[in-house]
Amino acid sequence: SSEAFRRSPMKLFLLGTSLLITRLHANAQCSDVSTLTAFDLDSYISQPWYVQQQAVNAYLPKENFFCVRALYEKKSSPTRPWGYTIGVDNVAKDSIDGNEFGGELCAFQKDPTDPAKLAVAPCWLGPKSWFAGDYWIIAYDEAEGHALVSGGQPTISTPEGCRTGTGINDSGLWIFTRQQERNDELVDKVRKIAEDEGFDVSVLIDVEQEGCVYQSRRGLRGSVVLES
């Protein structure tokens, strides 16, 4: 009827408003996480990082949680035309002796007042302020050899805490260690740091590092990088 037709837009409006309020309420339940204030980028990128646990996202499904490692290097000059300043070399496999995935990406420090807030994207993609995905260092201790990294501010509230999404940007949570060999005590310590920051750590899944052989690789500017 004409009356039902007139009411339909109102129903759609009310439904959309309800969904928006629900989403805003969920976001409001997630407190802002703190990045590392005294952050030394040169120290952070000085050696390889081995991923011990991480969340699933669009570019790394659970079946590829083998031999995940990251290398970083400052570029001699910003890339053209987009101005990235850090080279990123990520690798992962679909089994210990399986196919290798990953490759070179680029990054930059997004906020000069908050140096632990980086953003990462394919080197050809820009403008970087539009397309690069957040990469925030929440905790980092060179002496203990660990880091906690989030793909930006978590916005999804769960009974266990808050999490980021599972897409390409605004996604991801990682526990890094300098040593390839897993140290459960150290991993548990970083998980506790994440919990204290309000993260839902149930998203963190073990990455298999035992048995992974990392060959000496060419650095991002051609220098040889020797790994243990």
Side-chain angles (χ1 to χ4, degrees):
S1 68
S2 59
E3 181 65 22
F5 179 81
R6 285 195 297 271
R7 288 179 180 177
S8 294
M10 179 58 70
K11 288 180 179 179
L12 291 173
F13 172 77
L14 291 174
L15 177 60
T17 302
S18 176
L19 291 172
L20 178 60
I21 291 173
T22 300
R23 183 172 182 180
L24 291 174
H25 179 65
N27 291 353
Q29 291 178 321
C30 295
S31 301
D32 290 345
V33 297
S34 302
T35 52
L36 193 65
T37 52
F39 178 65
D40 184 342
L41 177 63
D42 289 331
S43 175
Y44 182 80
I45 68 175
S46 64
Q47 301 178 62
W49 285 111
Y50 300 92
V51 181
Q52 301 297 340
Q53 290 187 342
Q54 72 169 87
V56 170
N57 56 29
Y59 53 86
L60 197 65
K62 183 179 178 181
E63 54 265 28
N64 292 349
F65 280 19
F66 295 87
C67 310
V68 186
R69 188 230 55 208
L71 290 172
Y72 304 91
E73 187 175 60
K74 273 188 176 178
K75 292 187 172 293
S76 56
S77 60
T79 63
R80 295 182 180 180
W82 306 125
Y84 292 103
T85 54
I86 303 165
V88 182
D89 183 24
N90 291 333
V91 295
K93 290 184 175 182
D94 56 11
S95 67
I96 296 299
D97 300 314
N99 298 309
E100 185 175 284
F101 304 91
E104 185 174 356
L105 299 170
C106 284
F108 70 105
Q109 288 180 293
K110 194 171 184 178
D111 184 348
T113 67
D114 195 343
K117 286 185 177 180
L118 279 65
V120 180
C123 299
W124 51 265
L125 188 60
K128 63 183 188 294
S129 59
W130 293 6
F131 296 109
D134 285 335
Y135 174 108
W136 293 3
I137 297 91
I138 308 300
Y140 161 53
D141 189 316
E142 184 64 39
E144 295 189 354
H146 68 71
L148 174 68
V149 178
S150 175
Q153 170 65 37
T155 58
I156 302 169
S157 179
T158 76
E160 289 78 30
C162 288
R163 60 178 67 171
T164 61
T166 57
I168 295 177
N169 288 351
D170 303 316
S171 66
L173 185 65
W174 296 265
I175 292 179
F176 291 174
T177 63
R178 286 298 194 199
Q179 297 301 315
Q180 179 183 341
E181 183 178 356
R182 183 182 175 87
N183 180 330
D184 287 322
E185 184 177 344
L186 186 59
V187 170
D188 287 344
K189 180 174 183 176
V190 183
R191 285 177 67 96
K192 181 63 166 59
I193 294 171
E195 284 182 333
D196 290 345
E197 280 289 337
F199 285 98
D200 175 1
V201 297
S202 69
V203 302
L204 290 169
I205 300 171
D206 288 346
V207 172
E208 185 60 69
Q209 292 286 352
E210 185 175 358
C212 297
V213 177
Y214 294 95
Q215 302 294 330
S216 298
R217 297 174 61 88
R218 288 285 165 183
L220 300 174
R221 293 199 302 269
S223 57
V224 175
V225 176
L226 299 176
E227 301 188 37
S228 58

